Amino acid sequence: MRLVVLLVVLAGLCLTGLPAKAERSGTAASPLRVLLIPADGGTEDGTKADFVPLFNAITRTSGIHFDVQTGQSYAAVIEGMCAGQAEIAWLGPVSYVEAHRRGCADLLAIEERDGSSTYYAGIFVSQASGIDTPDELSGKSIALGSQHSASSFSYPLAMLSKAGIDPLRDLGAIRITGSHANSLLALQNGLVDAAGASFISFERAVNQGGLNASEFRLLIKSDPIPNPPIAMHPGLPESVKELLKSSLGNVHRTPGIRPESIRGYGGKQVDRYNTDATDALFEAMAGTIGFIDTDYQTAVLRKSGS
């Protein structure tokens, strides 16, 4: 029931029309096109480097070939799938549900590490800000990522609401930066008082030398969020779907495939890709972010000046 509510909420984001069919067959001459969301700042090389080893491994075990690219935005990846410009996509959980609702994407797999398929987001403030409680964000500004992102947009808004802060009424300003990394940089540069981002993106930005962790402080931690899933176009032949599931689900234990090749969100090595997961995994999101309907999202974007 909760998933139904979420789908209704996201229906307002949808465009009309049916998705184009998948065009590629997966041969070397007609590789399946893979689009990746730019989850960590839109750097094509970084995100692409995380996933190319995984898809190369699948090619070795299945014979299916891939052309892996990073999209310019979450919205561009959704539109790419729905326009028939990609057969495979790595999406955020909210953007996956949106694409699934539009009939453009079915769940292929979700990454697991330490037996978990979830991650966390946070609202960060600067260490020297003097902001110690959510109440002290009243009248302050916050940076959020893409409106299609669960952990840099929807969950930060939900965290504020749960803490008694109405983002539309109580915050002084909302800035939409387009990515986790951009939001964290805005906070580091003193352009905002707080930033919403995933823990994984924060850790990656620190490890890459773009952020000094000692300058940040976690103010609020989210509930568990489903990991960004890998989705496949519903129009693919059933034989290709089955081969993709079999290969991706077993690639972690295939002789000759190095474990460090099996990576996911933030470039982290994962234990495996679970191809038995169902859309029920995303059900809990409805209870947390279901209040962010079309009108609410429009109001947030209007407040941000987007």
Side-chain angles (χ1 to χ4, degrees):
M1 180 62 187
R2 287 180 173 179
L3 181 59
V4 172
V5 173
L6 177 63
L7 296 181
V8 170
V9 168
L10 292 173
L13 302 175
C14 301
L15 300 177
T16 57
L18 297 174
K21 64 179 182 180
E23 298 288 350
R24 301 290 184 90
S25 61
T27 65
S30 180
L32 299 185
R33 295 161 296 184
V34 181
L35 276 179
L36 312 170
I37 55 170
D40 288 301
T43 56
E44 178 178 352
D45 291 344
T47 307
K48 185 176 175 179
D50 294 340
F51 284 90
V52 165
L54 171 66
F55 285 100
N56 285 345
I58 300 172
T59 298
R60 287 179 58 186
T61 59
S62 69
I64 298 175
H65 293 260
F66 303 92
D67 175 15
V68 182
Q69 303 294 334
T70 304
Q72 293 300 308
S73 66
Y74 286 69
V77 174
I78 296 170
E79 294 306 323
M81 282 290 277
C82 293
Q85 297 171 352
E87 287 76 31
I88 306 291
W90 178 64
L91 296 156
V94 168
S95 51
Y96 162 69
V97 173
E98 181 179 346
H100 180 64
R101 170 67 179 83
R102 292 173 58 175
C104 311
D106 286 338
L107 184 61
L108 173 56
I110 192 164
E111 68 183 60
E112 281 189 2
R113 284 188 290 116
D114 300 324
S116 173
S117 293
T118 60
Y119 70 113
Y120 294 90
I123 292 178
F124 299 87
V125 296
S126 70
Q127 191 66 253
S129 65
I131 299 173
D132 297 317
T133 66
D135 288 346
E136 292 172 337
L137 285 178
S138 183
K140 306 291 187 182
S141 58
I142 188 170
L144 303 175
S146 166
Q147 66 267 34
H148 302 287
S149 168
S151 50
S152 70
F153 184 88
S154 300
Y155 273 81
L157 291 173
M159 282 186 270
L160 290 171
S161 295
K162 186 177 180 180
I165 298 293
D166 183 335
L168 295 174
R169 182 193 63 205
D170 298 332
L171 291 178
I174 296 175
R175 310 295 184 203
I176 303 299
T177 69
S179 73
H180 303 253
N182 289 344
S183 294
L184 292 167
L185 283 173
L187 177 59
Q188 180 171 265
N189 292 326
L191 301 177
V192 292
D193 299 299
S198 75
F199 284 17
I200 292 175
S201 293
F202 178 80
E203 181 182 341
R204 179 170 186 147
V206 169
N207 290 338
Q208 290 179 337
L211 299 178
N212 183 346
S214 66
E215 296 179 359
F216 293 83
R217 183 153 42 85
L218 176 65
L219 186 65
I220 316 175
K221 180 180 179 180
S222 76
D223 295 331
I225 307 170
N227 281 333
I230 295 178
M232 58 185 170
H233 198 289
L236 281 170
E238 291 300 321
S239 59
V240 175
K241 292 180 182 178
E242 290 302 316
L243 192 53
L244 284 169
K245 281 200 167 190
S246 174
S247 181
L248 188 54
N250 293 290
V251 68
H252 64 289
R253 55 189 173 199
T254 302
I257 301 298
R258 295 181 297 118
E260 55 267 33
S261 298
I262 315 303
R263 289 188 276 161
Y265 185 18
K268 288 183 172 294
Q269 182 177 327
V270 305
D271 298 335
R272 68 168 187 143
Y273 274 89
N274 181 2
T275 55
D276 295 323
T278 69
D279 290 312
L281 186 66
F282 301 90
E283 183 176 342
M285 287 199 312
T288 302
I289 66 172
F291 70 98
I292 305 174
D293 58 14
T294 303
D295 290 342
Y296 192 93
Q297 187 182 71
T298 299
V300 170
L301 296 177
R302 186 183 302 117
K303 185 178 178 77
S304 75
S306 299

